[in-house]
Amino acid sequence: MRTLSTRRRHPLAGLLVLAVGLLITGGLYAAVAPKAATAEESASTSDIEAGRQLFLVGCASCHGVNAQGINTEGADGEPGNYGPPLIGVGAAAVDFQVGTGRMPMAQTAPQAPRKADEYTDEETAQLAAYIASLAPGPQIPEERYLDWESVDEEGLAEGGEFFRTNCTACHNSVGAGGALPNGRYAPSLDGVEAKHIYEAMQTGPQQMPVFSDDVITPEEKLKVIAYIKTISEQPSYGGVNGGSLGPVVDGVWVWVVALGSLVGFAIWIGWHGTRTKKR
Amino acid sequence: MSQTYTPVERTATGKKLAGPVGWLDERLGLAGPAKKNLRKVFPEHWSFMLGEVALWSFVVLLITGVFLTLWFDPSMAETTYTGSYRPLNGVEMSVAYASSLDISFDIRGGLLLRQMHHWAAHLFIAAMFVHMLRVFFTGAYRKPRELNWLIGLGLLMLGILGGFSGYSLPDDLLSGTGLRIADGMIKSIPLIGTHVSFFLFGGEFPGDQIIGRLYMVHILLIPALLLGLIAAHMLLLVYHKHTQFPGPGRTNENVVGYPALPVYIAKAGGFFFIVFGVIASMAALFTVNAVWIYGPYNPAEVTAGSQPDWYMGFAEGALRIFPPLEWSWFGSTWAMSVFIPGLGFLGLLFVALGVWPFIERAITRDEREHHLLERPRNNPTRTGLGVAGMTWFGLLWIGGGNDVIALKFGLDLNAITWFLRVGIFVGPVIAFIVTRRICISLQRKDNEVLTHGYETGVIDRSPDGGYSERHAALPIEKQYAVTSAKERPKAIEAPELVDENGVDAPRSRRERLRHRMRRFYYFGSGAVDKPTAEDMAHAEEHLRGSNEHPIELGEDFQGVSETGVPRVH
């Protein structure tokens, strides 16, 4: 004890106490706090490396060589970014953005449109592995959360309720899409893979809010997917539906097709009289 | 060639019918009026059948509507859906919505009839609009037909109200959203809005009353009013006689055309089946208001692409583009950004249409009866105003679908809004000026063809190698039709500004205003006078003399088209 008490005024004693305090606090926090997600471990080192090479060629010009993002100053002095940082976005975000062709972007625009993908499935997986290796983030969903055909009728109705409550305001009641301010839009959900719908809910790409697993559980996400898939694959019971865009399309049909043809008939009827020829 | 007719009472059919028809006539006394009215003459023109499209759509509405009432249940009670449409099975909804789904999926022919009813409603109002435009642009509303114009306007308003009340009945997410907007418009009425809304909805929106109340309005009140006004509209049409376009033999005192029986009974009857057929084909081929995709109404939910039916699109557009404007006075909210576009623009449209015939008459002081129609080009100011109004309506209509337009054409929603905010002021002015110029140019073109002949397409080559095209005079009937259609511009007398004592006349300010309006109306951008008889005589001589071989027009000559090409060409 003497050795300790004689050294208690040592210049480094304070630092030591601070270090011990920090260690205890940190240790306790690590033991008690909820377990954080861990970085993708299943991906092989070679995949990560291949992904890094692809990233350096195709993505780094906007997202930075270490995926840290490139910051700029916007026209109005607001901080902006040329490409956002990708550290922590997770494999799900990469799989969604690259798998639906949104990334790489063809040009700067309010929003990246869905287009044919530039990378093969294997390359997409390698890119995802690389990004996932940088920091933990949402992962590509498991197969059992994508098998929407297994959802029963009750689940389908429940998925519909979720869809109408959370999604239709932007995506329209059949997922035909809708406009948002300043040239942005909620894209059509027609023909989007179940996996990508799941990932979009999970990562909230572009204008979309994030629906994390705490808000909508994976099982509920599956029900939403089942509802979207069911209504977009069901036949159009009433005939040609004009993109399910609502009454605007009805107005076009009635003026062009119905009234157009009836005016044609009226001209035909009006033309068939002996006196009209003399007019 | 002489033909002999057997009097109808001596034919076999006549002998058989004489008994029952006589029996009826002795009790109803209809033979006299029927004889007169069944031979009533109507003029022939395709545009006179636009109102008929509306009439026949209304008949289709009545027929299909009766069918729908057999199964529709206008109750807002809660139920759980257990019908054929799988994605909604087990969902809580109102009985009204469930019965709409049943009509669509579980009742034989229900979806077809529902879609026919909806398409007929769309068509009814569209046909009323184009019929009204025809009446406007040809000046058919002038004396003595002003009251019939107002009745027509009433029909249009009732049609729109009928359409809106029907749109709200299925109680799906779309119709509930529409009702919410209507509720917002009502609540925006200063001071009394909230009270009116609570009165109509039987409490706070949405309550459990509104569907039943709208159902009564939709199937009883509006159809009854429509039927009564349609009857009045048609009776006045018969009483005034139908207007006609000017032409040989057509004057302000006669009607040249065919008798109702047999020609128009057959034509109109046939046209009913054509209208019915077009509506049925539309219903069979095109979806309208697929209520099942929207789901039940829930005030917490909304869907992108929520729009009213097309005829309310302009009011919706006005709401969408109006800048925020709200005051709080005396503890009351004055939501001007809803009240002005929602009710103000709607009112502006109908008031402007309603007072126009009277404003025009105040400007022109034209006390004559008009049974001959005006060609739109011959009244550039009215035509210009009409096109300006259509432009205003059209721009607001675009505003109503701004989200769909932004989405489908890759445009910026805010840019569309700003374009329209400016456009609804600038667009009508441009449209007015351009239309008036076009009308005047068309009048000049008429004069050109009258005095210099139409281009025959026959090219002559002169001995020294020059080429020229022969012109020929229009056939005399066509010349007559074009010149008689046009009135000479009115002489404009200077207003009396002082009375006989040299003092400012009490009415002088009003007179001066009227003088200015009259000048604007008749001479706004330069009037074109029609050729005089002398001009025409000179033209005839000139056309005969210009080449030694005037173009012989054969017996089958049918006049020339608008572009100056002979129809038989």
Side-chain angles (χ1 to χ4, degrees), chain B residues 23-101:
Chain B
W23 188 92
L24 273 177
D25 186 40
E26 280 159 19
R27 278 150 188 86
L28 298 173
L30 286 177
K35 192 175 177 185
K36 183 177 162 226
N37 286 309
L38 286 175
R39 298 298 295 171
K40 187 142 188 103
V41 168
F42 287 93
E44 178 101 275
H45 194 265
W46 68 266
S47 69
F48 301 163
M49 273 177 265
L50 296 172
E52 230 175 276
V53 175
L55 178 67
W56 298 139
S57 317
F58 182 65
V59 173
V60 175
L61 279 172
L62 289 181
I63 296 171
T64 51
V66 168
F67 181 90
L68 294 177
T69 57
L70 301 181
W71 285 282
F72 180 70
D73 186 351
S75 158
M76 292 177 88
E78 290 260 317
T79 182
T80 305
Y81 179 69
T82 51
S84 305
Y85 184 63
R86 223 177 120 246
L88 289 178
N89 221 332
V91 172
E92 291 266 312
M93 58 180 66
S94 69
V95 172
Y97 185 49
S99 69
S100 304
L101 290 174

Side-chain angles (χ1 to χ4, degrees), chain B residues 367-415:
Chain B
E367 301 293 340
R368 294 167 303 166
E369 291 206 351
H370 290 279
H371 300 289
L372 281 178
L373 296 171
E374 244 177 327
R375 294 173 86 196
R377 68 180 64 171
N378 286 341
N379 195 329
T381 305
R382 179 202 294 141
T383 305
L385 284 174
V387 175
M390 284 168 73
T391 308
W392 182 75
F393 184 95
L395 287 168
L396 288 173
W397 199 2
I398 288 173
N402 61 359
D403 56 335
V404 174
I405 289 166
L407 181 70
K408 285 292 141 186
F409 296 103
L411 296 171
D412 182 341
L413 194 69
N414 303 46

Side-chain angles (χ1 to χ4, degrees), chain A residues 151-154 156-158 160-161 164-165 167-174 176-183 185-187 227 230-231 234-241 244-251 253-255 257-259 261-263 265-279, chain B residues 44-46 49-50 53 85-91 105 111 115 119 122-123 126-127 129-130 167 173-174 250 256-258 267 271 274-275 278 282-289 292-296 298 301-305 307-310 397 400-401 403-404 406-408 411-414 477 558 567:
Chain A
V151 173
D152 60 2
E153 216 156 81
E154 202 180 319
L156 195 62
E158 202 184 324
E161 279 298 313
R164 282 189 292 277
T165 308
C167 317
T168 56
C170 299
H171 283 288
N172 159 306
S173 53
V174 287
L180 299 172
N182 296 317
Y185 57 92
Y227 184 78
T230 306
I231 55 168
Q234 76 190 7
S236 175
Y237 296 110
V240 178
N241 65 17
S244 295
L245 286 166
V248 170
V249 183
D250 301 347
W253 288 138
V254 81
W255 277 89
V257 181
L259 204 59
S261 63
L262 284 170
V263 165
F265 278 116
I267 291 172
W268 176 64
I269 293 172
W271 207 245
H272 281 73
T274 51
R275 270 177 223 267
T276 50
K277 286 192 175 159
K278 295 276 190 283
R279 194 169 45 206
Chain B
E44 178 101 275
H45 194 265
W46 68 266
M49 273 177 265
L50 296 172
V53 175
Y85 184 63
R86 223 177 120 246
L88 289 178
N89 221 332
V91 172
F105 289 106
L111 181 57
Q115 299 208 122
W119 281 126
H122 276 312
L123 185 62
F129 261 93
V130 289
Y167 171 93
L173 187 52
L174 183 67
R250 299 175 185 184
V256 177
Y258 297 105
K267 283 196 177 193
F271 200 40
I274 289 175
V275 172
V278 166
M282 290 288 290
L285 297 174
F286 297 98
T287 309
V288 60
N289 193 21
W292 55 91
I293 64 173
Y294 296 113
N298 174 344
E301 297 169 357
V302 72
T303 168
Q307 318 276 356
D309 276 350
W310 76 262
W397 199 2
D403 56 335
V404 174
L407 181 70
K408 285 292 141 186
L411 296 171
D412 182 341
L413 194 69
N414 303 46
E477 297 87 3
Q558 293 177 6
R567 287 239 161 80

Side-chain angles (χ1 to χ4, degrees), chain B residues 239-287:
Chain B
Y239 172 68
H240 290 141
K241 301 181 191 63
H242 204 292
T243 49
Q244 58 187 346
F245 277 106
R250 299 175 185 184
T251 71
N252 214 23
E253 275 79 45
N254 69 3
V255 181
V256 177
Y258 297 105
L261 189 80
V263 176
Y264 279 105
I265 299 283
K267 283 196 177 193
F271 200 40
F272 167 68
F273 290 103
I274 289 175
V275 172
F276 192 98
V278 166
I279 292 172
S281 312
M282 290 288 290
L285 297 174
F286 297 98
T287 309

Side-chain angles (χ1 to χ4, degrees), chain A:
Chain A
M1 283 318 272
R2 263 187 86 82
T3 33
L4 258 184
S5 61
T6 50
R7 285 177 170 79
R8 71 180 192 276
R9 296 196 192 281
H10 193 273
L12 290 177
L15 279 177
L16 186 72
V17 170
L18 186 66
V20 169
L22 281 172
L23 263 176
I24 292 169
T25 321
L28 276 175
Y29 179 81
V32 176
K35 205 163 173 60
T38 47
E40 183 83 51
E41 279 162 12
S42 58
S44 70
T45 333
S46 65
D47 274 349
I48 294 172
E49 182 51 29
R52 198 176 79 87
Q53 293 306 327
L54 285 169
F55 182 88
L56 287 174
V57 174
C59 319
S61 61
C62 299
H63 290 290
V65 283
N66 294 316
Q68 79 280 25
I70 296 177
N71 292 323
T72 56
E73 196 172 292
D76 44 4
E78 296 275 315
N81 55 42
Y82 192 60
L86 300 183
I87 296 164
V89 299
V94 178
D95 191 56
F96 175 83
Q97 300 282 2
V98 179
T100 60
R102 285 180 168 79
M103 289 293 149
M105 256 176 121
Q107 61 202 13
T108 47
Q111 201 168 315
R114 182 173 144 203
K115 57 183 192 291
D117 26 335
E118 296 286 330
Y119 293 96
T120 62
D121 288 351
E122 194 194 352
E123 288 167 336
T124 308
Q126 288 167 343
L127 277 170
Y130 167 63
I131 295 298
S133 74
L134 299 175
Q139 292 172 20
I140 295 168
E142 294 166 40
E143 274 304 317
R144 66 193 167 103
Y145 294 131
L146 302 177
D147 182 20
W148 60 271
E149 275 161 347
S150 67
V151 173
D152 60 2
E153 216 156 81
E154 202 180 319
L156 195 62
E158 202 184 324
E161 279 298 313
F162 274 112
F163 186 66
R164 282 189 292 277
T165 308
N166 298 301
C167 317
T168 56
C170 299
H171 283 288
N172 159 306
S173 53
V174 287
L180 299 172
N182 296 317
R184 300 181 185 121
Y185 57 92
S188 165
L189 303 180
D190 190 36
V192 181
E193 282 176 45
K195 180 174 74 164
H196 292 143
I197 298 176
Y198 189 102
E199 287 163 352
M201 286 189 269
Q202 205 177 22
T203 62
Q206 310 201 26
Q207 310 309 314
M208 187 162 159
V210 175
F211 296 94
S212 70
D213 288 353
D214 298 332
V215 178
I216 297 183
T217 64
E219 290 77 16
E220 289 165 349
K221 285 193 174 84
L222 176 61
K223 289 173 187 168
V224 173
I225 292 168
Y227 184 78
I228 295 171
K229 284 289 176 189
T230 306
I231 55 168
S232 63
E233 286 179 11
Q234 76 190 7
S236 175
Y237 296 110
V240 178
N241 65 17
S244 295
L245 286 166
V248 170
V249 183
D250 301 347
V252 174
W253 288 138
V254 81
W255 277 89
V256 177
V257 181
L259 204 59
S261 63
L262 284 170
V263 165
F265 278 116
I267 291 172
W268 176 64
I269 293 172
W271 207 245
H272 281 73
T274 51
R275 270 177 223 267
T276 50
K277 286 192 175 159
K278 295 276 190 283
R279 194 169 45 206

